[in-house]
Amino acid sequence: DAKTTQPPSMDCAEGRAANLPCNHSTISGNEYVYWYRQIHSQGPQYIIHGLKNNETNEMASLIITEDRKSSTLILPHATLRDTAVYYCIVSGMDSSYKLIFGSGTRLLVRP
Amino acid sequence: NAGVTQTPKFHILKTGQSMTLQCAQDMNHGYMSWYRQDPGMGLRLIYYSAAAGTTDKEVPNGYNVSRLNTEDFPLRLVSAAPSQTSVYLCASSIPTSFPNQPQHFGDGTRLSIL
């Protein structure tokens, strides 16, 4: 079972920030938080990941709470091409390096 | 910059037939894996390989893999069953001995078994 909980759907206006929340209250000390997204008919695309510090790259920012029990993915200026299913995944470094995908959040960016 | 390439994109099989799904990556990644994606069930890991010459399975039976070189990781359905109708996704990454490396996915093979 997935170790994360996400809202099933969200929407935001084009050009505005999209803030996608994720709860991972059972996260352990060596587990990372990863975010992927999947656009229809494509494979999952890596967005960002972090351990305990906030992270930023050219696609998004990741804010992890101090207790690491939740995080927020921020798309600063959402575009129509950001419409996708967003997956928050908690993964450690076991031998399978398995990613356990939950149901994700379906983000709709409105014109 | 091809990344992870999967072929074919679509295929229809009859029950009992066999087929090999191809996956190739050009990033010199040691780790490769296969997932299947079904509606309402998310992605599930089927097989993985930490390096050329090694493979490990997550689900029993129905599938075989080989990893003869770094680039290719084909998935074989030995005797296809309707329950194996799914979208199959291949991924690759730097070996697990490196911490926190993201996985790169191909666009999948959509397989229907009648």
Side-chain angles (χ1 to χ4, degrees), chain A residues 3-4 22-34 49-54 62-72 88-92:
Chain A
K3 299 181 181 180
T4 62
C22 179
N23 287 322
H24 31 80
S25 58
T26 61
I27 192 170
S28 62
N30 64 349
E31 290 182 315
Y32 288 80
V33 180
Y34 292 83
H49 72 281
L51 183 62
K52 53 184 177 181
N53 297 321
N54 297 339
L62 173 61
I63 309 298
I64 302 174
T65 58
E66 194 169 342
D67 63 7
R68 303 211 319 128
K69 293 184 177 182
S70 66
S71 60
T72 301
C88 168
I89 299 165
V90 165
S91 179

Side-chain angles (χ1 to χ4, degrees), chain B residues 40-107:
Chain B
M41 300 189 70
L43 281 78
R44 291 177 289 165
L45 182 66
I46 303 172
Y47 259 104
Y48 65 95
S49 167
T54 69
T55 62
D56 282 283
K57 66 180 178 181
E58 281 285 302
V59 299
N61 305 324
Y63 305 96
N64 277 326
V65 295
S66 61
R67 186 85 186 277
L68 302 181
N69 56 50
T70 299
E71 295 78 22
D72 300 297
F73 191 41
L75 176 71
R76 181 169 177 80
L77 280 71
V78 178
S79 177
S83 61
Q84 294 177 306
T85 293
S86 187
V87 176
Y88 289 87
L89 292 158
C90 179
S92 75
S93 178
I94 292 173
T96 55
S97 59
F98 289 79
N100 68 60
Q101 296 298 326
Q103 298 191 36
H104 302 266
F105 285 82
D107 283 337

Side-chain angles (χ1 to χ4, degrees), chain A residues 32 34 36 38 40-46 49 87 91 93-103, chain B residues 31 35 37 41-43 45 48 58 89 93-94 96-103 105-108 110:
Chain A
Y32 288 80
Y34 292 83
Y36 286 77
Q38 189 171 25
H40 183 63
S41 297
Q42 296 182 19
Q45 177 190 21
Y46 165 78
H49 72 281
Y87 296 98
S91 179
M93 292 303 297
D94 68 16
S95 60
S96 74
Y97 199 23
K98 176 167 54 182
L99 297 176
I100 300 176
F101 286 77
S103 300
Chain B
Y31 177 90
Y35 289 78
Q37 184 172 25
M41 300 189 70
L43 281 78
L45 182 66
Y48 65 95
E58 281 285 302
L89 292 158
S93 178
I94 292 173
T96 55
S97 59
F98 289 79
N100 68 60
Q101 296 298 326
Q103 298 191 36
F105 285 82
D107 283 337
R110 188 175 299 273

